[in-house]
Amino acid sequence: MSRRRTKIVATVGPATWDPDVLARLIEAGADVLRLNFSHADADRHARTVEVARAAAAQAGHEVALLGDLPGPKLRVGVFSSGFAELEVGMETVLTPADVDGNTSRIPVSWPDLQRGLRPADEVYLADGSIRLRVIGPDGEGMRCVVEVGGALSSHKGMNLPGTTAGLPAVGARDLEWVDFAVSHGIDILAVSFVRSASDLDAVRERIATHGADIPVVAKIEKPQAADNAEAIIRAASGGIMVARGDLGIELPLARVPIVQKRLIRLAGRLSKPSITATQMLASMVASSRPTRAEVTDVANAIYDGTDAVMLSEETAVGSFPVDAVKVMDTIARETEPDLPYADWVQNRTEQATRDVADSVTQSAVNSVYRLGLAALVVPTTSGRTARLVSAHRPRVPVLAVSPRIETVRRLNLLFGVRAVLSEPTTEVRGLLDACAALAAENGVARSGDLIAITAGLADQSLGTNLFEVHRVP
C-alpha cells in the first residue's frame, strides 16, 4: 500500500492519555500529536510528552509534538454543578469575580470586562453555540440576555466578534508554556489568536533566549489575521493553522470556506505548510462513522492543498479516537491520487526570480515527470530544503535525511515527506551514496531506479544548491 502524503494531527486528551491508546493512535496514522496547553496543567502535559515518546518508539516511528499556546482566549470559570442550562430570554451577568457559576452569574477570566464590552455587543460562548446580547453594567459585571441558549460547562471559551478586547497576543502564561516547550522537547509551537506578524515576536524571542529553534505556527482565527495573512505567513517559520472554530465565530459562517481556501493557497505560494483544523470529523466524538459532509470537507481541504488535517475533540475526548484517525487516513488515501501534481509543480509556489533554492527544488520536482524518477531524497539539517521540495507537491515519495532528531520529527508536518535519521557527513560523494542506500533501505526506490538528490552545500552559502540524478545501485 502506498504511503499517505497528507499528514494527520491528532489532539491528545483524556481519551488518549492511556499509553496503549496513544500507541494505537500513532499506529493508525497520527503524524503529529497536539498538546493543547489551554487544558490540563504542566505536570499532565509533561507526562503526555513522556508517554508519547514511548508510544512512538513502540509504534516504530517518530511523531512530532505540537504545543498549542493558550493565547488571549477568554474563558468562563467553574460551575458548581458542572454546567448551566441557559434558556432563550433569560438574563445573566458576566462577572470578573471569582465565584461559582450558575444560570444568573457567569464568571469570566477577564478583569477589564466592563471596559471591553458595550451595550448591544454580542458575546458567544462554547464555540459559538450560545449567544448573549449585552444590556449594560451590573455592579462589576455586565448584564446580558440569552439570544441562543444551550448547556454551558466550565472553562468553555468566550468570543467577542469585531473586537480584540485590548488583550495582548502573547501573555506571561504563554511565555511560561514556551519555557515548558523548550525544556520538554516540544517540536513545534502554535501561537493562538495572532492578529499581525509582530504578534509572533515575543514567542520567537523567548525561544531564542533558550538557544532553541522551535518552528512557530500562526493560528489564523481572527479577521485581522485573515486580512494580514501574507505578512503573518512570511513570518511564521512553521506555517499556519486555519483554525475554523474561532474563525467561524469571528466571521460570518459563509465566509469561512472562502477564507480557508485563500489561506491554504497563500501558504502554498509562500512555500509554508498549512494545517486545516476544527470539526473535521466532529460527529465521531460520539459516533463510529463520520457524516458524508465531513468526509467531503476533509477531501476538499486536501484538494485545496493543505499539508495536514487536524482532529481536536475527536481524539481528545471522543469515544472513537483511533477510528477517527483511521477514517482520516482512508479519506486522504482515496483523495490523493486525484490531486493535480503536474500542475502544482508549475504554479503552486511563488516563482521568485534569482532564488537558487526555489529554482533547484522546482527543477528536481520537474524531473520526476520528465525522467520518471522513483523518489526524491533530501539531505537536510534544518528541514528547509524538504519544505521547499514539499511545496512543489511531487507525486513520488520524498525521503528527508537528517542528522537531527528534532528535524526528523518536525518534518512529519509536511505533505509527502517521510524523514529518517542519518549519520552526519560533510563529504559530498559519501553523502550522495548514503542517500541512495537509504532510499533502498526505506523502500522508496529499488535497485536500478533513478532518484533525484537535492541539498544545500554549506560552503557555498546559497541554501539549496545541489541537484543530482542518481541510479540506485
Side-chain angles (χ1 to χ4, degrees):
M1 181 181 295
S2 63
R3 183 174 291 270
R4 170 176 39 82
R5 291 176 169 83
T6 308
K7 300 307 178 71
I8 297 174
V9 181
T11 303
V12 181
T16 42
W17 280 337
D18 180 88
D20 290 336
V21 176
L22 203 53
R24 287 195 290 123
L25 201 74
I26 296 170
E27 289 166 356
D31 302 289
V32 180
L33 300 179
R34 172 177 172 253
L35 281 62
N36 187 352
F37 293 151
S38 296
H39 301 287
D41 59 19
D43 288 342
R44 173 67 265 179
H45 284 300
R47 290 197 298 275
T48 300
V49 171
E50 183 179 352
V51 170
R53 295 301 187 206
Q58 180 181 330
H61 60 87
E62 296 290 344
V63 295
L65 298 182
L66 186 154
D68 199 334
L69 300 177
K73 178 75 170 180
L74 298 174
R75 295 187 180 275
V76 302
V78 176
F79 292 89
S80 54
S81 61
F83 72 96
E85 189 68 43
L86 302 181
E87 299 178 359
V88 175
M90 176 185 292
E91 289 193 9
T92 187
V93 175
L94 298 174
T95 175
D98 184 14
V99 298
D100 284 341
N102 52 47
T103 55
S104 60
R105 286 167 66 84
I106 301 174
V108 178
S109 56
W110 186 16
D112 293 330
L113 184 149
Q114 278 196 337
R115 189 169 62 183
L117 289 177
R118 296 163 297 182
D121 278 353
E122 290 180 331
V123 177
Y124 286 87
L125 305 172
D127 291 331
S129 62
I130 297 171
R131 186 177 77 230
L132 311 180
R133 180 77 61 178
V134 177
I135 298 172
D138 186 293
E140 293 182 354
M142 295 294 279
R143 190 160 54 95
C144 303
V145 61
V146 179
E147 292 189 337
V148 177
L152 178 63
S153 56
S154 302
H155 306 302
K156 286 294 184 180
M158 171 176 164
N159 290 84
L160 311 170
T163 178
T164 59
L167 296 168
V170 177
R173 182 178 174 223
D174 295 296
L175 296 179
E176 290 172 1
W177 279 116
V178 173
D179 297 340
F180 172 93
V182 173
S183 63
H184 287 81
I186 298 297
D187 303 298
I188 306 165
L189 274 173
V191 182
S192 298
F193 298 98
V194 173
R195 289 161 292 194
S196 67
S198 62
D199 287 342
L200 302 172
D201 291 347
V203 173
R204 286 197 305 243
E205 290 167 5
R206 188 66 161 230
I207 292 170
T209 63
H210 293 283
D213 63 346
I214 302 175
V216 172
V217 170
K219 293 175 67 176
I220 309 297
E221 47 198 335
K222 301 285 287 184
Q224 299 94 329
D227 292 340
N228 298 322
E230 179 164 351
I232 291 171
I233 294 170
R234 290 187 184 278
S237 56
I240 60 167
M241 181 189 296
V242 186
R244 305 179 307 177
D246 286 283
L247 197 59
I249 301 170
E250 301 279 347
L251 288 172
L253 274 175
R255 285 204 51 79
V256 174
I258 300 166
V259 172
Q260 172 181 315
K261 288 177 181 292
R262 181 173 68 84
L263 291 171
I264 293 173
R265 185 168 59 249
L266 184 55
R269 184 167 70 81
L270 299 176
S271 299
K272 295 290 182 72
S274 56
I275 306 167
T276 305
T278 318
Q279 294 185 329
M280 301 214 80
L281 298 177
S283 67
M284 290 195 73
V285 171
S287 171
S288 61
R289 285 175 58 84
T291 67
R292 292 161 181 81
E294 289 168 341
V295 172
T296 302
D297 178 40
V298 174
N300 277 331
I302 296 170
Y303 279 122
D304 288 341
T306 193
D307 284 75
V309 285
M310 194 174 99
L311 297 163
S312 299
E313 290 183 315
E314 300 94 332
T315 52
V317 297
S319 299
F320 305 94
V322 177
D323 290 328
V325 173
K326 289 180 178 178
V327 166
M328 200 77 97
D329 176 84
T330 300
I331 298 168
R333 289 180 187 275
E334 289 291 330
T335 305
E336 288 168 357
D338 198 39
L339 297 179
Y341 298 103
D343 291 338
W344 274 345
V345 70
Q346 300 300 333
N347 57 35
R348 187 173 184 270
T349 67
E350 187 176 61
Q351 304 299 308
T353 58
R354 304 185 68 81
D355 187 310
V356 174
D358 184 70
S359 179
V360 170
T361 52
Q362 187 182 35
S363 297
V365 177
N366 259 319
S367 296
V368 167
Y369 309 101
R370 300 189 65 178
L371 301 177
L373 303 180
L376 296 171
V377 183
V378 184
T380 181
T381 301
S382 68
R384 181 174 184 266
T385 300
R387 173 171 61 81
L388 294 175
V389 169
S390 171
H392 292 297
R393 294 296 191 258
R395 183 187 292 272
V396 300
V398 178
L399 182 68
V401 176
S402 180
R404 296 184 67 209
I405 188 62
E406 298 91 344
T407 299
V408 169
R409 291 168 176 162
R410 291 165 185 166
L411 291 177
N412 274 315
L413 188 59
L414 298 183
F415 182 96
V417 175
R418 176 186 176 192
V420 296
L421 197 63
S422 66
E423 294 294 329
T425 179
T426 57
E427 198 272 312
V428 175
R429 189 71 259 160
L431 174 67
L432 297 175
D433 292 340
C435 285
L438 285 168
E441 289 174 17
N442 287 276
V444 300
R446 294 176 295 186
S447 177
D449 284 345
L450 287 178
I451 62 172
I453 302 170
T454 183
L457 301 182
D459 60 346
Q460 293 290 310
S461 301
L462 292 171
T464 305
N465 65 331
L466 180 147
F467 166 40
E468 174 174 295
V469 176
H470 198 102
R471 190 176 298 280
V472 178

